[in-house]
């Protein structure tokens, strides 16, 4: 079996195809150009793998609760493949709209701790520092999530102005949880 020739191969003309449970491939995922065949790990998220066939890269999801094991080129239980991977969350400042008493621009980015790519499609809960839920969102393809609270919050003003926390719960055995805090200021 031949595995790809580097990071630039997708940019050099490989076609990206999508299959069931698939998502877009990127140049950093390896090469399927030149007629390579086989499976490659997906660098950003090991819940997926890249299937190469005739120069076409198809990103496919492992079954729920499993991750890709590159050494065996199969999906398996996380405990059989590797320990859970650390994640990192960052959060940006938000604004309190005093007239409507709602918080705007709660935001976070969740990524694997040692990789530049974000985790896509993972849920994030935004809470006050006291633990009251403000809103929830799901990360996009870059690992970014954003939401606004409903107007007329019933949470005390001083609790809101202490800041907020973006919480990523992790995926048992695959990704560790992460959280970040940021300030909330008046609009």
């Amino acid at each position: 079996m031949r595995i790809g020739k580097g990071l630039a191969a997708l940019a050099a003309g490989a076609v990206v195809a999508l299959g069931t449970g698939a998502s877009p491939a990127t140049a950093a995922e390896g090469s399927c150009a030149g007629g390579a065949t086989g499976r490659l790990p997906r660098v950003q998220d090991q819940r997926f793998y890249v299937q190469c066939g005739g120069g076409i890269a198809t990103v496919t999801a492992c079954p729920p609760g499993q991750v890709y094991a590159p050494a065996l080129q199969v999906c398996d239980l996380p405990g059989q493949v590797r320990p859970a991977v650390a994640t990192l969350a960052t959060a940006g400042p938000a604004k309190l709209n005093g007239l409507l008493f709602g918080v705007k621009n709660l935001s976070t980015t969740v990524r694997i701790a040692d990789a530049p790519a974000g985790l896509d499609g993972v849920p994030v809960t935004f809470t006050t520092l006291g633990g009251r839920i403000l809103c929830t969102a799901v990360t996009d393809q870059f690992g970014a999530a954003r939401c606004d609270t409903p107007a007329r919050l019933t949470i005390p003003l001083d609790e809101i102005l202490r800041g907020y926390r973006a919480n990523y719960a992790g995926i048992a055995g695959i990704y560790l949880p992460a959280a970040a805090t940021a300030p909330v200021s008046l609009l």
Side-chain angles (χ1 to χ4, degrees), residues 50-121:
V50 179
Q51 178 69 51
C52 295
I56 298 173
T58 304
V59 179
T60 305
C62 286
Q66 294 187 6
V67 296
Y68 183 68
L72 301 173
Q73 293 195 358
V74 297
C75 293
D76 204 345
L77 296 174
Q80 301 298 317
V81 178
R82 60 169 169 77
V85 175
T87 59
L88 176 68
T90 56
K95 300 284 185 182
L96 174 67
N97 182 338
L99 295 175
L100 297 176
F101 202 61
V103 182
K104 302 285 184 196
N105 300 323
L106 296 158
S107 63
T108 190
T109 300
V110 179
R111 65 181 180 83
I112 297 171
D114 294 328
L119 285 175
D120 58 342

Side-chain angles (χ1 to χ4, degrees), residues 106-138:
L106 296 158
S107 63
T108 190
T109 300
V110 179
R111 65 181 180 83
I112 297 171
D114 294 328
L119 285 175
D120 58 342
V122 298
V124 176
T125 302
F126 296 91
T127 65
T128 65
L129 296 182
R132 295 185 203 217
I133 295 177
L134 296 169
C135 57
T136 60
V138 174

